Amino acid sequence: MRYWLMKSEPDDCSIDDLARRPGSTVPWYGVRNYQARNLMRDQMQVGDAVFFYHSSCPQPGIAGIARVSSPAYPDATQFDPASPYHDPKSTPEAPRWLNVDVQFVRKTPLVPLAELRSHTELANMRVLARANRLSITPVDPAEWRFITRELMGLDNDGI
DNA sequence: GCCAACGTTGGC
DNA sequence: GCCAACGTTGGC
């Protein structure tokens, strides 16, 4: 099992929005970056653990835990002309963009970005790398353990 | 609203 | 294949 951090703008879908959805599940649509797409396609597996991160908001940080609940499949929004994520160059025969489904596990105390940055144990976290723009980044098991145990006070990796 | 940094596009 | 211009991300 792998660990991930996935960014979502809470105005669009917050951890509370995820918890309220049918089946507590949301398709992680709208990824339009090849690196992030390839991570979903090639590396993610059902059951992988996810930090749900709130970005572009007053209090950026990790707001909860989720799990990957489907393999990658074509992102429906790429074919929808009314969607902001519409991609006219993509076709159902050769879909360019994929998404996985993500399921709610728990809400956690918010771990602000500034706090993540303050811990030497997390100095190499991908999401903290200078000018990181990937909306999906891998998390090392040791980083996951540190955050869930020491910063959130959770046992069993919080999952 | 600003701006740094990066990915993508498209002309050549 | 190079690279300038442009668009986007996302913290502050």
Side-chain angles (χ1 to χ4, degrees), chain A residues 14-126:
Chain A
S14 70
I15 187 73
D16 291 324
D17 294 332
L18 177 63
R20 280 194 294 263
R21 285 186 58 94
S24 306
T25 298
V26 71
W28 205 263
Y29 60 83
V31 170
R32 295 295 180 268
N33 170 285
Y34 289 104
Q35 251 184 291
R37 179 203 67 181
N38 294 348
L39 287 174
M40 288 195 285
R41 186 188 62 193
D42 304 332
Q43 312 269 330
M44 273 191 183
Q45 295 192 308
V46 172
D48 283 0
V50 176
F51 281 141
F52 193 103
Y53 180 95
H54 286 174
S55 70
S56 293
C57 61
Q59 293 237 5
I62 299 171
I65 294 174
R67 74 165 69 86
V68 175
S69 61
S70 83
Y73 60 95
D75 177 341
T77 62
Q78 70 195 305
F79 308 124
D80 176 4
S83 168
Y85 300 113
H86 180 232
D87 183 349
K89 292 181 186 166
S90 186
T91 64
E93 295 71 32
R96 182 178 294 194
W97 304 112
L98 307 173
N99 64 250
V100 297
D101 289 345
V102 166
Q103 184 173 36
F104 178 81
V105 173
R106 66 169 75 234
K107 195 173 172 177
T108 65
L110 184 85
V111 181
L113 176 62
E115 170 157 21
L116 294 174
R117 287 197 192 284
S118 75
H119 293 284
T120 55
E121 291 89 342
L122 305 176
N124 295 321
M125 255 191 112
R126 273 291 290 283

